[in-house]
């Protein structure tokens, strides 16, 4: 029930923890998990001294560790056991501007790189590799995957969400490629999530959440 938040402007990672109290809304406790609020930089080490530069995305690991997309440092960081470490740095696998991450089956990692218009993948502990596909993406801003190995990407400039199949085929699953709010349209989709048999889309420009049933 603990929510992790990447504070891009505060350069810190916060936790929102339910206290178990009563009332509506239920009381929560907000704490700093890592970083020095208001101070940007690149520093590994104890969480209270570590520095980030515009953290943008987070993902919980199975062991309770927290992965963080550190945009300003073009790196993927880990918060675990009171320490911040760098898992992947700029240049790894061609990574230039990581903007979102997602965990896959077997503790694999997906990274959306908004600068190179590529999706990178790594198995647990392995190096980043480019996900092969038979076309190009228009500024990937969000990434997720389903149990069948399909990768879903929110194209913030392409105004659509696409599915990359295991054989590299790119299929449009939402949006018509035109910025808009009409039927079947999206406006700067920024994030995606596979959950409960649905594909959840943060439709940034339209200030809404869109859900679609996953194709069988």
């Amino acid at each position: 029930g603990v929510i992790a938040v990447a504070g891009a402007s505060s350069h810190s990672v916060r936790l929102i923890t339910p206290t178990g109290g009563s009332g509506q809304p239920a009381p929560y406790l907000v704490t700093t998990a890592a970083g020095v609020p208001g101070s940007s930089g690149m520093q590994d080490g104890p969480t209270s001294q570590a520095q980030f530069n515009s953290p943008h995305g987070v993902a919980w690991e199975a062991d309770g560790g927290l992965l963080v997309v550190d945009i300003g440092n073009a790196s993927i960081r880990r918060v675990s056991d009171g320490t911040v470490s760098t898992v992947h740095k700029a240049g790894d696998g061609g990574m230039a501007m990581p903007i979102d991450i997602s965990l896959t089956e077997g503790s694999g990692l997906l990274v959306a790189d908004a600068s190179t218009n590529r999706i990178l993948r790594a198995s647990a502990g392995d190096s980043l590799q480019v996900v092969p596909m038979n076309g190009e993406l228009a500024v990937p801003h969000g990434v997720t995957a389903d149990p069948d190995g399909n990768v879903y990407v929110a194209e913030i400039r392409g105004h659509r969400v696409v599915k990359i199949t295991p054989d590299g085929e790119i299929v449009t699953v939402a949006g018509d490629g035109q910025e808009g709010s009409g039927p079947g349209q999206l406006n700067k989709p920024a994030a995606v999530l596979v959950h409960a048999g649905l594909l959840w889309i943060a439709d940034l420009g339209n200030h809404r959440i869109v859900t679609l049933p996953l194709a069988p």
Side-chain angles (χ1 to χ4, degrees):
V2 179
I3 301 169
V5 180
S9 61
S10 69
H11 309 295
S12 62
V13 179
R14 312 295 293 278
L15 298 181
I16 304 174
T17 305
T19 64
S22 58
Q24 295 296 329
Y28 289 83
L29 177 66
V30 179
T31 58
T32 298
V36 181
S39 177
S40 65
M42 176 62 178
Q43 178 66 49
D44 286 341
T47 54
S48 61
Q49 301 172 25
Q51 289 184 307
F52 297 85
N53 188 350
S54 300
H56 188 265
V58 290
W60 288 109
E61 296 181 292
D63 63 1
L66 188 62
L67 293 176
V68 182
V69 178
D70 192 356
I71 294 180
N73 291 313
S75 62
I76 307 299
R77 317 281 295 279
R78 173 181 285 124
V79 183
S80 181
D81 296 326
T83 301
V84 174
S85 58
T86 299
V87 180
H88 297 288
K89 63 183 184 300
D92 289 356
M95 186 172 65
M97 188 180 178
I99 201 161
D100 190 38
I101 52 176
S102 177
L103 294 177
T104 64
E105 297 289 325
S107 299
L109 175 67
L110 289 171
V111 179
D113 194 301
S115 176
T116 64
N117 294 321
R118 297 186 297 190
I119 304 299
L120 306 175
R121 183 197 300 272
S123 299
D126 290 342
S127 59
L128 290 171
Q129 304 291 332
V130 176
V131 173
M133 52 189 173
N134 62 0
E136 297 182 354
L137 300 175
V139 187
H141 198 276
V143 65
T144 191
D146 66 22
D148 296 325
N150 297 298
V151 176
Y152 297 85
V153 181
E155 289 185 323
I156 199 166
R157 185 170 292 175
H159 308 293
R160 63 176 185 160
V161 173
V162 301
K163 175 174 69 175
I164 304 173
T165 66
D167 61 3
E169 181 183 5
I170 299 177
V171 181
T172 299
V173 296
D176 61 4
Q178 299 297 316
E179 177 182 335
S181 58
Q185 290 187 313
L186 298 171
N187 185 350
K188 298 180 179 66
V192 282
L193 173 70
V194 170
H195 176 67
L198 297 173
L199 178 65
W200 301 69
I201 304 168
D203 190 8
L204 179 65
N206 289 319
H207 308 288
R208 65 181 180 178
I209 302 295
V210 177
T211 60
L212 299 173
L214 289 176

